[in-house]
Amino acid sequence: MKDCFFKQHGITFIDYKDVEVLRKFINPHGRILSGKRTGVSSKMQRQLADAIKRARFMGLMPFVAR
């Protein structure tokens, strides 16, 4: 099992404005990758999903890829 990306980098809160980090956790079609694929802990996976959804709503990330 992979180590949590956020624990490795000392990130305790996932910011929706940090689009470069969020892009690592979506597939080419724009879908959120599962926790099994990313190796992120379940607590951080929930925060990650909320941050991606918030970034999409604010217009920082697309809902679907072209």
Short mmCIF file of all heavy atoms in Angstrom, two decimals:
data_model
loop_
_atom_site.label_atom_id
_atom_site.label_comp_id
_atom_site.label_asym_id
_atom_site.label_seq_id
_atom_site.Cartn_x
_atom_site.Cartn_y
_atom_site.Cartn_z
N MET A 1 0.84 -1.19 0.00
CA MET A 1 0.00 0.00 0.00
C MET A 1 0.87 1.24 0.00
O MET A 1 1.89 1.31 0.67
CB MET A 1 -0.89 -0.02 1.24
CG MET A 1 -1.90 1.07 1.28
SD MET A 1 -3.02 0.78 2.67
CE MET A 1 -3.59 2.40 2.94
N LYS A 2 0.48 2.22 -0.78
CA LYS A 2 1.24 3.46 -0.86
C LYS A 2 1.06 4.29 0.40
O LYS A 2 0.06 4.17 1.11
CB LYS A 2 0.75 4.29 -2.05
CG LYS A 2 0.95 3.66 -3.39
CD LYS A 2 0.41 4.61 -4.45
CE LYS A 2 0.50 4.03 -5.82
NZ LYS A 2 -0.03 4.93 -6.83
N ASP A 3 2.04 5.14 0.65
CA ASP A 3 1.89 6.09 1.75
C ASP A 3 1.03 7.26 1.28
O ASP A 3 0.99 7.58 0.09
CB ASP A 3 3.25 6.61 2.20
CG ASP A 3 4.07 5.53 2.89
OD1 ASP A 3 3.46 4.62 3.47
OD2 ASP A 3 5.30 5.59 2.84
N CYS A 4 0.38 7.90 2.21
CA CYS A 4 -0.49 9.02 1.88
C CYS A 4 0.35 10.19 1.35
O CYS A 4 1.31 10.61 1.99
CB CYS A 4 -1.28 9.44 3.12
SG CYS A 4 -2.42 10.80 2.81
N PHE A 5 -0.01 10.71 0.18
CA PHE A 5 0.70 11.84 -0.43
C PHE A 5 0.72 13.04 0.49
O PHE A 5 1.74 13.73 0.60
CB PHE A 5 0.01 12.19 -1.76
CG PHE A 5 0.53 13.45 -2.40
CD1 PHE A 5 1.64 13.41 -3.21
CD2 PHE A 5 -0.10 14.67 -2.20
CE1 PHE A 5 2.12 14.57 -3.80
CE2 PHE A 5 0.36 15.83 -2.78
CZ PHE A 5 1.49 15.77 -3.59
N PHE A 6 -0.38 13.30 1.15
CA PHE A 6 -0.49 14.50 1.97
C PHE A 6 0.31 14.38 3.26
O PHE A 6 0.87 15.36 3.72
CB PHE A 6 -1.96 14.79 2.25
CG PHE A 6 -2.75 15.03 0.98
CD1 PHE A 6 -3.62 14.08 0.50
CD2 PHE A 6 -2.57 16.19 0.26
CE1 PHE A 6 -4.32 14.28 -0.67
CE2 PHE A 6 -3.27 16.41 -0.92
CZ PHE A 6 -4.14 15.45 -1.39
N LYS A 7 0.41 13.18 3.83
CA LYS A 7 1.23 13.00 5.01
C LYS A 7 2.71 13.13 4.67
O LYS A 7 3.50 13.66 5.46
CB LYS A 7 0.96 11.64 5.65
CG LYS A 7 -0.36 11.57 6.37
CD LYS A 7 -0.53 10.26 7.08
CE LYS A 7 -1.90 10.21 7.76
NZ LYS A 7 -2.11 8.94 8.45
N GLN A 8 3.10 12.64 3.49
CA GLN A 8 4.50 12.74 3.06
C GLN A 8 4.92 14.20 2.90
O GLN A 8 6.06 14.55 3.21
CB GLN A 8 4.70 12.04 1.72
CG GLN A 8 4.72 10.53 1.81
CD GLN A 8 4.91 9.91 0.45
OE1 GLN A 8 4.84 10.58 -0.59
NE2 GLN A 8 5.13 8.61 0.44
N HIS A 9 4.02 15.04 2.43
CA HIS A 9 4.34 16.44 2.19
C HIS A 9 3.93 17.35 3.34
O HIS A 9 4.02 18.57 3.22
CB HIS A 9 3.69 16.89 0.88
CG HIS A 9 4.30 16.25 -0.31
ND1 HIS A 9 3.89 15.01 -0.79
CD2 HIS A 9 5.31 16.64 -1.12
CE1 HIS A 9 4.61 14.70 -1.84
NE2 HIS A 9 5.48 15.66 -2.06
N GLY A 10 3.43 16.79 4.43
CA GLY A 10 3.08 17.58 5.60
C GLY A 10 1.87 18.46 5.42
O GLY A 10 1.75 19.51 6.06
N ILE A 11 0.94 18.04 4.57
CA ILE A 11 -0.27 18.82 4.32
C ILE A 11 -1.38 18.30 5.24
O ILE A 11 -1.72 17.12 5.20
CB ILE A 11 -0.70 18.70 2.84
CG1 ILE A 11 0.41 19.24 1.93
CG2 ILE A 11 -2.01 19.43 2.60
CD1 ILE A 11 0.17 18.99 0.46
N THR A 12 -1.91 19.17 6.08
CA THR A 12 -2.98 18.76 6.99
C THR A 12 -4.36 19.20 6.49
O THR A 12 -5.36 18.62 6.88
CB THR A 12 -2.75 19.34 8.40
OG1 THR A 12 -2.66 20.76 8.30
CG2 THR A 12 -1.49 18.77 9.00
N PHE A 13 -4.40 20.24 5.65
CA PHE A 13 -5.65 20.74 5.10
C PHE A 13 -5.50 20.88 3.60
O PHE A 13 -4.54 21.49 3.12
CB PHE A 13 -6.02 22.08 5.74
CG PHE A 13 -7.26 22.70 5.16
CD1 PHE A 13 -8.51 22.20 5.48
CD2 PHE A 13 -7.18 23.76 4.28
CE1 PHE A 13 -9.66 22.75 4.94
CE2 PHE A 13 -8.31 24.31 3.73
CZ PHE A 13 -9.55 23.81 4.07
N ILE A 14 -6.43 20.33 2.84
CA ILE A 14 -6.38 20.40 1.38
C ILE A 14 -7.14 21.63 0.93
O ILE A 14 -8.34 21.76 1.17
CB ILE A 14 -6.98 19.13 0.76
CG1 ILE A 14 -6.23 17.90 1.28
CG2 ILE A 14 -6.91 19.19 -0.75
CD1 ILE A 14 -6.85 16.60 0.88
N ASP A 15 -6.42 22.54 0.28
CA ASP A 15 -7.00 23.80 -0.16
C ASP A 15 -7.56 23.66 -1.58
O ASP A 15 -6.87 23.15 -2.47
CB ASP A 15 -5.94 24.89 -0.13
CG ASP A 15 -6.52 26.27 -0.33
OD1 ASP A 15 -7.75 26.42 -0.25
OD2 ASP A 15 -5.73 27.21 -0.57
N TYR A 16 -8.78 24.10 -1.80
CA TYR A 16 -9.40 23.99 -3.11
C TYR A 16 -8.74 24.90 -4.14
O TYR A 16 -8.89 24.69 -5.34
CB TYR A 16 -10.90 24.27 -3.04
CG TYR A 16 -11.27 25.72 -2.83
CD1 TYR A 16 -11.52 26.54 -3.91
CD2 TYR A 16 -11.37 26.25 -1.55
CE1 TYR A 16 -11.87 27.87 -3.73
CE2 TYR A 16 -11.70 27.57 -1.36
CZ TYR A 16 -11.95 28.38 -2.46
OH TYR A 16 -12.28 29.70 -2.27
N LYS A 17 -7.99 25.91 -3.69
CA LYS A 17 -7.34 26.83 -4.62
C LYS A 17 -6.01 26.29 -5.16
O LYS A 17 -5.46 26.83 -6.11
CB LYS A 17 -7.10 28.18 -3.94
CG LYS A 17 -8.40 28.90 -3.62
CD LYS A 17 -8.15 30.13 -2.80
CE LYS A 17 -7.96 29.69 -1.38
NZ LYS A 17 -8.01 30.71 -0.37
N ASP A 18 -5.51 25.20 -4.57
CA ASP A 18 -4.25 24.60 -5.00
C ASP A 18 -4.53 23.60 -6.11
O ASP A 18 -4.51 22.39 -5.91
CB ASP A 18 -3.56 23.94 -3.81
CG ASP A 18 -2.12 23.61 -4.08
OD1 ASP A 18 -1.64 23.92 -5.20
OD2 ASP A 18 -1.47 23.04 -3.19
N VAL A 19 -4.79 24.11 -7.30
CA VAL A 19 -5.26 23.30 -8.41
C VAL A 19 -4.19 22.33 -8.91
O VAL A 19 -4.50 21.23 -9.34
CB VAL A 19 -5.75 24.21 -9.56
CG1 VAL A 19 -6.22 23.40 -10.75
CG2 VAL A 19 -6.88 25.10 -9.06
N GLU A 20 -2.91 22.70 -8.82
CA GLU A 20 -1.84 21.83 -9.29
C GLU A 20 -1.82 20.51 -8.53
O GLU A 20 -1.61 19.44 -9.10
CB GLU A 20 -0.47 22.51 -9.17
CG GLU A 20 -0.26 23.65 -10.14
CD GLU A 20 -0.91 24.94 -9.66
OE1 GLU A 20 -1.04 25.14 -8.44
OE2 GLU A 20 -1.29 25.74 -10.52
N VAL A 21 -2.05 20.56 -7.22
CA VAL A 21 -2.09 19.34 -6.41
C VAL A 21 -3.35 18.56 -6.71
O VAL A 21 -3.32 17.33 -6.85
CB VAL A 21 -2.00 19.68 -4.90
CG1 VAL A 21 -2.21 18.46 -4.05
CG2 VAL A 21 -0.65 20.30 -4.58
N LEU A 22 -4.46 19.24 -6.85
CA LEU A 22 -5.74 18.56 -7.09
C LEU A 22 -5.75 17.82 -8.43
O LEU A 22 -6.36 16.77 -8.56
CB LEU A 22 -6.90 19.55 -7.04
CG LEU A 22 -7.12 20.26 -5.71
CD1 LEU A 22 -8.29 21.22 -5.83
CD2 LEU A 22 -7.35 19.28 -4.59
N ARG A 23 -5.05 18.36 -9.43
CA ARG A 23 -5.02 17.73 -10.76
C ARG A 23 -4.35 16.36 -10.73
O ARG A 23 -4.61 15.53 -11.60
CB ARG A 23 -4.29 18.62 -11.76
CG ARG A 23 -5.11 19.78 -12.22
CD ARG A 23 -4.41 20.52 -13.34
NE ARG A 23 -4.91 21.86 -13.48
CZ ARG A 23 -5.96 22.17 -14.23
NH1 ARG A 23 -6.58 21.24 -14.90
NH2 ARG A 23 -6.36 23.42 -14.32
N LYS A 24 -3.49 16.11 -9.75
CA LYS A 24 -2.82 14.81 -9.65
C LYS A 24 -3.80 13.70 -9.30
O LYS A 24 -3.48 12.52 -9.48
CB LYS A 24 -1.73 14.86 -8.57
CG LYS A 24 -0.59 15.77 -8.91
CD LYS A 24 0.43 15.79 -7.81
CE LYS A 24 1.54 16.78 -8.13
NZ LYS A 24 2.56 16.81 -7.09
N PHE A 25 -4.96 14.06 -8.78
CA PHE A 25 -5.90 13.07 -8.27
C PHE A 25 -7.16 12.95 -9.11
O PHE A 25 -8.17 12.44 -8.65
CB PHE A 25 -6.25 13.39 -6.82
CG PHE A 25 -5.04 13.36 -5.93
CD1 PHE A 25 -4.40 14.53 -5.56
CD2 PHE A 25 -4.53 12.16 -5.49
CE1 PHE A 25 -3.28 14.50 -4.75
CE2 PHE A 25 -3.42 12.12 -4.69
CZ PHE A 25 -2.78 13.29 -4.32
N ILE A 26 -7.11 13.45 -10.36
CA ILE A 26 -8.21 13.23 -11.29
C ILE A 26 -7.65 12.53 -12.53
O ILE A 26 -6.48 12.71 -12.88
CB ILE A 26 -8.93 14.54 -11.67
CG1 ILE A 26 -8.00 15.52 -12.34
CG2 ILE A 26 -9.61 15.16 -10.48
CD1 ILE A 26 -8.70 16.71 -12.94
N ASN A 27 -8.48 11.73 -13.17
CA ASN A 27 -8.02 11.02 -14.37
C ASN A 27 -8.17 11.92 -15.59
O ASN A 27 -8.71 13.03 -15.49
CB ASN A 27 -8.77 9.68 -14.52
CG ASN A 27 -10.23 9.84 -14.88
OD1 ASN A 27 -10.71 10.93 -15.17
ND2 ASN A 27 -10.95 8.74 -14.88
N PRO A 28 -7.68 11.49 -16.77
CA PRO A 28 -7.77 12.34 -17.97
C PRO A 28 -9.19 12.75 -18.37
O PRO A 28 -9.38 13.73 -19.06
CB PRO A 28 -7.14 11.47 -19.06
CG PRO A 28 -6.22 10.56 -18.33
CD PRO A 28 -6.89 10.29 -17.01
N HIS A 29 -10.18 12.00 -17.91
CA HIS A 29 -11.57 12.34 -18.22
C HIS A 29 -12.17 13.32 -17.22
O HIS A 29 -13.31 13.75 -17.36
CB HIS A 29 -12.44 11.07 -18.25
CG HIS A 29 -11.97 10.09 -19.29
ND1 HIS A 29 -12.13 10.31 -20.64
CD2 HIS A 29 -11.33 8.91 -19.17
CE1 HIS A 29 -11.62 9.29 -21.31
NE2 HIS A 29 -11.12 8.43 -20.43
N GLY A 30 -11.43 13.65 -16.17
CA GLY A 30 -11.90 14.62 -15.19
C GLY A 30 -12.55 14.00 -13.97
O GLY A 30 -13.11 14.71 -13.15
N ARG A 31 -12.50 12.68 -13.83
CA ARG A 31 -13.11 12.03 -12.68
C ARG A 31 -12.13 11.92 -11.53
O ARG A 31 -10.92 11.82 -11.73
CB ARG A 31 -13.57 10.62 -13.06
CG ARG A 31 -14.68 10.61 -14.08
CD ARG A 31 -15.09 9.20 -14.35
NE ARG A 31 -16.21 9.17 -15.29
CZ ARG A 31 -16.69 8.06 -15.79
NH1 ARG A 31 -16.17 6.89 -15.45
NH2 ARG A 31 -17.69 8.10 -16.63
N ILE A 32 -12.66 11.92 -10.32
CA ILE A 32 -11.83 11.79 -9.12
C ILE A 32 -11.37 10.34 -9.00
O ILE A 32 -12.17 9.42 -9.08
CB ILE A 32 -12.62 12.20 -7.87
CG1 ILE A 32 -13.10 13.65 -8.00
CG2 ILE A 32 -11.77 12.03 -6.62
CD1 ILE A 32 -14.08 14.07 -6.92
N LEU A 33 -10.05 10.15 -8.81
CA LEU A 33 -9.51 8.81 -8.65
C LEU A 33 -9.86 8.26 -7.27
O LEU A 33 -9.98 9.01 -6.30
CB LEU A 33 -7.99 8.81 -8.82
CG LEU A 33 -7.48 9.14 -10.22
CD1 LEU A 33 -5.96 9.25 -10.21
CD2 LEU A 33 -7.91 8.07 -11.21
N SER A 34 -9.99 6.94 -7.16
CA SER A 34 -10.35 6.31 -5.90
C SER A 34 -9.16 6.30 -4.94
O SER A 34 -8.01 6.45 -5.35
CB SER A 34 -10.82 4.88 -6.15
OG SER A 34 -9.72 4.09 -6.58
N GLY A 35 -9.46 6.11 -3.69
CA GLY A 35 -8.43 6.05 -2.67
C GLY A 35 -7.49 4.87 -2.86
O GLY A 35 -6.32 4.93 -2.52
N LYS A 36 -8.01 3.78 -3.41
CA LYS A 36 -7.17 2.61 -3.69
C LYS A 36 -6.13 2.94 -4.75
O LYS A 36 -4.99 2.48 -4.68
CB LYS A 36 -8.01 1.44 -4.16
CG LYS A 36 -8.81 0.79 -3.07
CD LYS A 36 -9.52 -0.44 -3.61
CE LYS A 36 -10.30 -1.12 -2.51
NZ LYS A 36 -10.96 -2.35 -3.01
N ARG A 37 -6.50 3.71 -5.74
CA ARG A 37 -5.57 4.07 -6.83
C ARG A 37 -4.53 5.09 -6.37
O ARG A 37 -3.39 5.05 -6.80
CB ARG A 37 -6.33 4.65 -8.02
CG ARG A 37 -7.33 3.75 -8.65
CD ARG A 37 -6.85 2.97 -9.84
NE ARG A 37 -5.90 3.63 -10.68
CZ ARG A 37 -6.06 3.82 -11.98
NH1 ARG A 37 -7.17 3.42 -12.55
NH2 ARG A 37 -5.12 4.37 -12.70
N THR A 38 -4.94 6.03 -5.52
CA THR A 38 -4.05 7.11 -5.14
C THR A 38 -3.24 6.80 -3.89
O THR A 38 -2.17 7.39 -3.70
CB THR A 38 -4.85 8.40 -4.88
OG1 THR A 38 -5.77 8.17 -3.83
CG2 THR A 38 -5.57 8.85 -6.13
N GLY A 39 -3.73 5.92 -3.04
CA GLY A 39 -3.02 5.61 -1.80
C GLY A 39 -3.24 6.64 -0.71
O GLY A 39 -2.53 6.65 0.29
N VAL A 40 -4.21 7.49 -0.88
CA VAL A 40 -4.51 8.53 0.10
C VAL A 40 -5.36 7.93 1.22
O VAL A 40 -6.21 7.08 0.97
CB VAL A 40 -5.25 9.70 -0.60
CG1 VAL A 40 -5.64 10.77 0.39
CG2 VAL A 40 -4.38 10.30 -1.69
N SER A 41 -5.13 8.38 2.45
CA SER A 41 -5.92 7.87 3.58
C SER A 41 -7.38 8.27 3.40
O SER A 41 -7.70 9.22 2.69
CB SER A 41 -5.37 8.42 4.89
OG SER A 41 -5.55 9.82 4.95
N SER A 42 -8.27 7.55 4.07
CA SER A 42 -9.70 7.79 3.86
C SER A 42 -10.12 9.18 4.31
O SER A 42 -10.96 9.82 3.68
CB SER A 42 -10.52 6.72 4.58
OG SER A 42 -10.23 6.73 5.95
N LYS A 43 -9.52 9.68 5.39
CA LYS A 43 -9.84 11.03 5.87
C LYS A 43 -9.45 12.07 4.82
O LYS A 43 -10.22 12.97 4.49
CB LYS A 43 -9.10 11.30 7.18
CG LYS A 43 -9.31 12.68 7.73
CD LYS A 43 -8.53 12.87 9.01
CE LYS A 43 -8.65 14.29 9.51
NZ LYS A 43 -7.85 14.50 10.72
N MET A 44 -8.24 11.91 4.28
CA MET A 44 -7.77 12.86 3.27
C MET A 44 -8.50 12.68 1.94
O MET A 44 -8.67 13.64 1.20
CB MET A 44 -6.26 12.71 3.07
CG MET A 44 -5.45 13.25 4.20
SD MET A 44 -5.75 15.02 4.36
CE MET A 44 -4.63 15.43 5.66
N GLN A 45 -8.93 11.46 1.64
CA GLN A 45 -9.70 11.23 0.41
C GLN A 45 -11.02 12.00 0.45
O GLN A 45 -11.44 12.56 -0.56
CB GLN A 45 -9.95 9.74 0.21
CG GLN A 45 -10.71 9.39 -1.05
CD GLN A 45 -9.91 9.60 -2.31
OE1 GLN A 45 -8.69 9.63 -2.29
NE2 GLN A 45 -10.61 9.75 -3.43
N ARG A 46 -11.67 12.02 1.60
CA ARG A 46 -12.91 12.79 1.74
C ARG A 46 -12.64 14.28 1.58
O ARG A 46 -13.38 14.99 0.88
CB ARG A 46 -13.56 12.51 3.08
CG ARG A 46 -14.17 11.12 3.18
CD ARG A 46 -15.02 10.96 4.43
NE ARG A 46 -14.24 11.09 5.65
CZ ARG A 46 -13.63 10.09 6.29
NH1 ARG A 46 -13.68 8.87 5.78
NH2 ARG A 46 -12.97 10.30 7.40
N GLN A 47 -11.57 14.78 2.21
CA GLN A 47 -11.20 16.20 2.06
C GLN A 47 -10.85 16.51 0.62
O GLN A 47 -11.20 17.57 0.10
CB GLN A 47 -10.02 16.55 2.96
CG GLN A 47 -10.35 16.73 4.40
CD GLN A 47 -9.15 17.24 5.20
OE1 GLN A 47 -8.18 17.75 4.63
NE2 GLN A 47 -9.21 17.10 6.51
N LEU A 48 -10.15 15.58 -0.04
CA LEU A 48 -9.74 15.76 -1.42
C LEU A 48 -10.96 15.87 -2.34
O LEU A 48 -11.03 16.76 -3.18
CB LEU A 48 -8.86 14.58 -1.85
CG LEU A 48 -8.41 14.54 -3.30
CD1 LEU A 48 -7.49 15.71 -3.60
CD2 LEU A 48 -7.70 13.24 -3.58
N ALA A 49 -11.93 14.98 -2.15
CA ALA A 49 -13.14 15.01 -2.97
C ALA A 49 -13.90 16.32 -2.78
O ALA A 49 -14.35 16.93 -3.75
CB ALA A 49 -14.03 13.82 -2.63
N ASP A 50 -14.01 16.77 -1.54
CA ASP A 50 -14.69 18.04 -1.27
C ASP A 50 -13.94 19.21 -1.91
O ASP A 50 -14.55 20.12 -2.48
CB ASP A 50 -14.82 18.28 0.23
CG ASP A 50 -15.85 17.38 0.88
OD1 ASP A 50 -16.71 16.86 0.14
OD2 ASP A 50 -15.80 17.20 2.10
N ALA A 51 -12.61 19.19 -1.84
CA ALA A 51 -11.81 20.27 -2.41
C ALA A 51 -11.94 20.30 -3.93
O ALA A 51 -12.06 21.37 -4.53
CB ALA A 51 -10.34 20.12 -2.01
N ILE A 52 -11.94 19.13 -4.56
CA ILE A 52 -12.09 19.07 -6.02
C ILE A 52 -13.47 19.57 -6.43
O ILE A 52 -13.61 20.36 -7.37
CB ILE A 52 -11.83 17.65 -6.54
CG1 ILE A 52 -10.34 17.30 -6.40
CG2 ILE A 52 -12.27 17.51 -8.00
CD1 ILE A 52 -10.01 15.86 -6.72
N LYS A 53 -14.49 19.15 -5.70
CA LYS A 53 -15.85 19.59 -6.02
C LYS A 53 -16.00 21.09 -5.82
O LYS A 53 -16.65 21.78 -6.62
CB LYS A 53 -16.86 18.84 -5.15
CG LYS A 53 -16.97 17.37 -5.52
CD LYS A 53 -17.83 16.63 -4.53
CE LYS A 53 -17.81 15.13 -4.81
NZ LYS A 53 -18.59 14.37 -3.83
N ARG A 54 -15.38 21.63 -4.79
CA ARG A 54 -15.44 23.07 -4.53
C ARG A 54 -14.70 23.84 -5.62
O ARG A 54 -15.18 24.88 -6.10
CB ARG A 54 -14.85 23.36 -3.15
CG ARG A 54 -15.06 24.79 -2.71
CD ARG A 54 -14.74 24.95 -1.24
NE ARG A 54 -15.80 24.31 -0.45
CZ ARG A 54 -15.57 23.60 0.65
NH1 ARG A 54 -14.35 23.41 1.10
NH2 ARG A 54 -16.58 23.07 1.31
N ALA A 55 -13.54 23.32 -6.04
CA ALA A 55 -12.77 23.98 -7.11
C ALA A 55 -13.55 23.96 -8.42
O ALA A 55 -13.51 24.93 -9.18
CB ALA A 55 -11.42 23.28 -7.28
N ARG A 56 -14.25 22.88 -8.69
CA ARG A 56 -15.08 22.82 -9.89
C ARG A 56 -16.19 23.85 -9.83
O ARG A 56 -16.46 24.55 -10.81
CB ARG A 56 -15.71 21.43 -10.02
CG ARG A 56 -14.76 20.35 -10.45
CD ARG A 56 -15.45 19.02 -10.39
NE ARG A 56 -14.65 17.93 -10.90
CZ ARG A 56 -14.94 16.66 -10.73
NH1 ARG A 56 -16.03 16.31 -10.07
NH2 ARG A 56 -14.16 15.73 -11.22
N PHE A 57 -16.85 23.96 -8.69
CA PHE A 57 -17.96 24.89 -8.54
C PHE A 57 -17.49 26.34 -8.68
O PHE A 57 -18.19 27.18 -9.25
CB PHE A 57 -18.64 24.68 -7.18
CG PHE A 57 -19.84 25.55 -6.98
CD1 PHE A 57 -21.03 25.25 -7.62
CD2 PHE A 57 -19.79 26.65 -6.16
CE1 PHE A 57 -22.14 26.06 -7.45
CE2 PHE A 57 -20.90 27.46 -5.98
CZ PHE A 57 -22.08 27.16 -6.62
N MET A 58 -16.28 26.62 -8.18
CA MET A 58 -15.73 27.97 -8.26
C MET A 58 -15.14 28.29 -9.63
O MET A 58 -14.71 29.41 -9.88
CB MET A 58 -14.66 28.17 -7.18
CG MET A 58 -15.19 28.02 -5.77
SD MET A 58 -16.44 29.21 -5.34
CE MET A 58 -15.46 30.64 -5.09
N GLY A 59 -15.09 27.29 -10.51
CA GLY A 59 -14.60 27.53 -11.87
C GLY A 59 -13.10 27.38 -12.01
O GLY A 59 -12.54 27.77 -13.04
N LEU A 60 -12.43 26.81 -11.04
CA LEU A 60 -10.98 26.64 -11.12
C LEU A 60 -10.59 25.36 -11.84
O LEU A 60 -9.48 25.26 -12.37
CB LEU A 60 -10.37 26.62 -9.70
CG LEU A 60 -10.62 27.87 -8.87
CD1 LEU A 60 -10.10 27.66 -7.45
CD2 LEU A 60 -9.98 29.07 -9.50
N MET A 61 -11.50 24.38 -11.86
CA MET A 61 -11.25 23.11 -12.54
C MET A 61 -12.48 22.78 -13.37
O MET A 61 -13.59 23.14 -13.01
CB MET A 61 -11.00 21.98 -11.54
CG MET A 61 -9.74 22.13 -10.73
SD MET A 61 -9.56 20.79 -9.55
CE MET A 61 -9.17 19.44 -10.65
N PRO A 62 -12.29 22.05 -14.47
CA PRO A 62 -13.45 21.66 -15.29
C PRO A 62 -14.19 20.49 -14.67
O PRO A 62 -13.61 19.68 -13.94
CB PRO A 62 -12.82 21.26 -16.62
CG PRO A 62 -11.47 20.78 -16.25
CD PRO A 62 -11.03 21.65 -15.10
N PHE A 63 -15.48 20.39 -14.97
CA PHE A 63 -16.26 19.24 -14.51
C PHE A 63 -15.92 18.00 -15.33
O PHE A 63 -15.87 16.91 -14.81
CB PHE A 63 -17.76 19.54 -14.59
CG PHE A 63 -18.28 20.38 -13.48
CD1 PHE A 63 -18.31 21.76 -13.57
CD2 PHE A 63 -18.72 19.80 -12.31
CE1 PHE A 63 -18.79 22.53 -12.54
CE2 PHE A 63 -19.19 20.56 -11.26
CZ PHE A 63 -19.22 21.93 -11.38
N VAL A 64 -15.72 18.17 -16.62
CA VAL A 64 -15.33 17.07 -17.51
C VAL A 64 -14.20 17.55 -18.41
O VAL A 64 -14.10 18.75 -18.70
CB VAL A 64 -16.50 16.57 -18.39
CG1 VAL A 64 -17.57 15.91 -17.54
CG2 VAL A 64 -17.09 17.69 -19.19
N ALA A 65 -13.36 16.63 -18.85
CA ALA A 65 -12.28 16.98 -19.77
C ALA A 65 -12.82 16.98 -21.20
O ALA A 65 -13.79 16.30 -21.51
CB ALA A 65 -11.13 15.99 -19.62
N ARG A 66 -12.16 17.69 -22.04
CA ARG A 66 -12.59 17.76 -23.44
C ARG A 66 -11.94 16.69 -24.25
O ARG A 66 -10.90 16.24 -24.06
CB ARG A 66 -12.23 19.11 -24.02
CG ARG A 66 -12.98 20.21 -23.32
CD ARG A 66 -12.48 21.55 -23.82
NE ARG A 66 -12.80 22.55 -22.81
CZ ARG A 66 -13.59 23.55 -23.03
NH1 ARG A 66 -14.13 23.72 -24.18
NH2 ARG A 66 -13.83 24.40 -22.08
#
